Amino acid sequence: MIFSDNDSLKISNGYMRVTYLSASAFLFLLFVSATFVHKYNELTKDNFCFTKKILVPTDGSEAAEKEVEKVGDLLAEGGEIIILSVASELTPHQFQSKDDIDKLNQSFLDEAQFNVDKMKAKFDPNLNITTKVLVGFPAETIVGVAEDEDVELIAIASSGKGRVTKFFIGSVAEKVIHSFKKDVLLVH
């Protein structure tokens, strides 16, 4: 028996039923948890469902590079990895030079291209990898590409460039998790 029927606690005039785990129940739950972890660690290529198409967004941060370690093992034979970097775009205002803004926008595109090239170089060259650089808002663009490409999984880093950016514009990963209707692998 896991719970005792006689466990109670006297409180002033009445009794309040207290339910707690006995030592045997605790050991049982510990055994079940340990068994699950052990079975999870036994996953191999023979008993794991691999993914045919994975989207891997990158912002060039160290956190994003950790995605590489996880994704290669999840890809099905003949599957495709899509590496995506989303560049920001500034629009000129009344007191700004259009040429200066165009130079900044080009630098954003160049950085995004550098990020996808750098990440692609970290993958096994025998894998089917496509790279994309797009302009837009990161979370919306990531989800849009995932839906357009019919990917089965997005592997995204839990934090990118920094805490200050997250404070002001929110977490891209969080927005992707809430917007994408299929699986998202959050890489820490």
Side-chain angles (χ1 to χ4, degrees):
M1 175 171 20
I2 294 177
F3 299 106
S4 170
D5 292 332
N6 298 325
D7 294 335
S8 58
L9 172 69
K10 184 168 178 146
I11 297 180
S12 64
N13 297 345
Y15 287 91
M16 179 180 139
R17 175 71 77 207
V18 175
T19 306
Y20 62 92
L21 292 176
S22 65
S24 61
F26 176 76
L27 290 175
F28 173 75
L29 290 175
L30 185 63
F31 171 75
V32 169
S33 299
T35 303
F36 174 76
V37 169
H38 177 71
K39 292 292 183 192
Y40 178 79
N41 288 334
E42 288 180 351
L43 290 176
T44 65
K45 290 186 177 188
D46 297 330
N47 62 7
F48 184 77
C49 181
F50 290 95
T51 306
K52 294 176 187 162
K53 198 178 260 193
I54 303 173
L55 178 64
V56 184
T58 181
D59 61 3
S61 65
E62 287 182 30
E65 290 184 16
K66 291 179 183 177
E67 298 165 1
V68 174
E69 300 168 13
K70 307 288 182 186
V71 170
D73 294 335
L74 299 175
L75 189 64
E77 189 174 324
E80 178 185 12
I81 295 173
I82 301 170
I83 301 172
L84 170 68
S85 188
V86 182
S88 300
E89 182 177 44
L90 299 175
T91 55
H93 294 285
Q94 185 176 2
F95 299 108
Q96 295 174 323
S97 163
K98 183 176 177 342
D99 291 337
D100 290 343
I101 297 299
D102 288 343
K103 287 178 186 174
L104 275 173
N105 286 336
Q106 186 59 50
S107 71
F108 293 152
L109 284 171
D110 293 343
E111 179 184 10
Q113 186 63 54
F114 175 79
N115 292 339
V116 294
D117 292 341
K118 184 170 99 174
M119 183 173 271
K120 182 178 181 178
K122 293 182 180 287
F123 280 102
D124 181 343
N126 297 320
L127 295 175
N128 180 17
I129 298 177
T130 304
T131 61
K132 291 181 178 262
V133 173
L134 298 173
V135 175
F137 295 106
E140 292 83 358
T141 305
I142 291 166
V143 172
V145 168
E147 290 170 349
D148 292 345
E149 294 285 341
D150 195 30
V151 302
E152 297 174 346
L153 175 72
I154 297 175
I156 189 167
S158 60
S159 61
K161 292 284 187 178
R163 293 181 181 173
V164 174
T165 304
K166 181 179 176 181
F167 176 77
F168 285 108
I169 63 171
S171 168
V172 172
E174 183 178 350
K175 291 175 185 175
V176 168
I177 289 169
H178 292 294
S179 301
F180 190 56
K181 302 301 180 210
K182 294 182 184 176
D183 293 332
V184 175
L185 172 64
L186 189 62
V187 179
H188 293 282

